[in-house]
Every structure is written in C-alpha cells, then in structure tokens.
C-alpha cells in the first residue's frame, strides 16, 4: 500500500526528484515494482523480515538503508510482513 507522496520543499527540488513512501500492516509477501528512470536514489525501510531487491534473474538481501546508482532496468522490491519503505530518487547534479 502506498501513501500520498509528500511535496518536495522548493529549496530541496534541485537534489530530490520524487519521494515515494510505502507502508503495510499486512503479513503476506508483497512485491513492489520500480521502473528505470535513470536517477540514483536513497532507500530506507523498516521491516521485521529481510528485504530483497530483484533485478532480472539476480537478487540480493539489502541493508535497511542503501544508496543506489542510476536505474537502467526495472527492479522489484520483495517484502514480507508489515513494513515502512521510503525511496527518494535524487537529481544527479548540484546547483
């Protein structure tokens, strides 16, 4: 389940493209699809179970906070049980 995306403050718009927040109190496994947009980003999540990132046929259990580079192909985030998930794609330039 996703929440409405918060508005990025004007003074941060030069470094943040979007903010996505997902949370669920559901106990079943969920897969969140993310499409490649060419931007790097920052992820934070809170979950009792490990979170897995799937890219094509590869997958990896991730730490609760990670930074990723430019997304060039779609990925999936697999989460089981209740969770809070924050993804903030960033603009790869500084003014």
């Amino acid at each position: 389940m996703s929440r409405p995306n918060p508005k990025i403050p004007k003074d941060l718009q030069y470094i943040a493209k979007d903010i996505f927040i997902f949370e669920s109190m559901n106990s079943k496994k969920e897969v969140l699809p993310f499409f490649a947009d060419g931007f790097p980003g920052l992820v934070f999540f809170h979950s009792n179970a490990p979170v897995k990132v799937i890219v094509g046929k590869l997958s990896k259990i991730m730490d609760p906070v990670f930074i990723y580079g430019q997304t060039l192909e779609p990925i999936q985030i697999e989460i089981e049980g209740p969770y809070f998930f924050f993804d903030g794609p960033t603009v790869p330039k500084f003014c």
Side-chain angles (χ1 to χ4, degrees), residues 53-94:
V53 172
I54 304 164
V55 181
K57 295 181 181 181
L58 302 173
S59 65
K60 181 176 181 179
I61 301 296
M62 302 304 288
D63 291 324
V65 176
F66 61 93
I67 297 173
Y68 60 89
Q70 292 178 298
T71 51
L72 302 177
E73 59 183 281
I75 68 167
Q76 295 179 327
I77 307 288
E78 186 178 277
I79 305 175
E80 189 167 346
Y83 66 85
F84 174 85
F85 184 90
F86 167 93
D87 179 25
T90 59
V91 177
K93 66 177 183 176
F94 294 93

Side-chain angles (χ1 to χ4, degrees), residues 21-71:
I21 297 175
F22 302 89
E23 63 182 340
S24 174
M25 296 307 293
N26 199 332
S27 61
K28 68 178 185 171
K29 183 187 312 184
E30 293 189 44
V31 177
L32 306 173
F34 286 85
F35 300 95
D37 63 4
F39 289 96
L42 170 68
V43 170
F44 165 79
F45 65 84
H46 178 70
S47 172
N48 290 334
V51 171
K52 185 188 312 182
V53 172
I54 304 164
V55 181
K57 295 181 181 181
L58 302 173
S59 65
K60 181 176 181 179
I61 301 296
M62 302 304 288
D63 291 324
V65 176
F66 61 93
I67 297 173
Y68 60 89
Q70 292 178 298
T71 51

Side-chain angles (χ1 to χ4, degrees), residues 6-26:
K7 185 164 174 57
I8 298 171
K10 187 170 177 75
D11 58 341
L12 295 178
Q13 290 178 351
Y14 71 98
I15 60 169
K17 178 183 167 292
D18 294 302
I19 296 174
F20 300 102
I21 297 175
F22 302 89
E23 63 182 340
S24 174
M25 296 307 293
N26 199 332

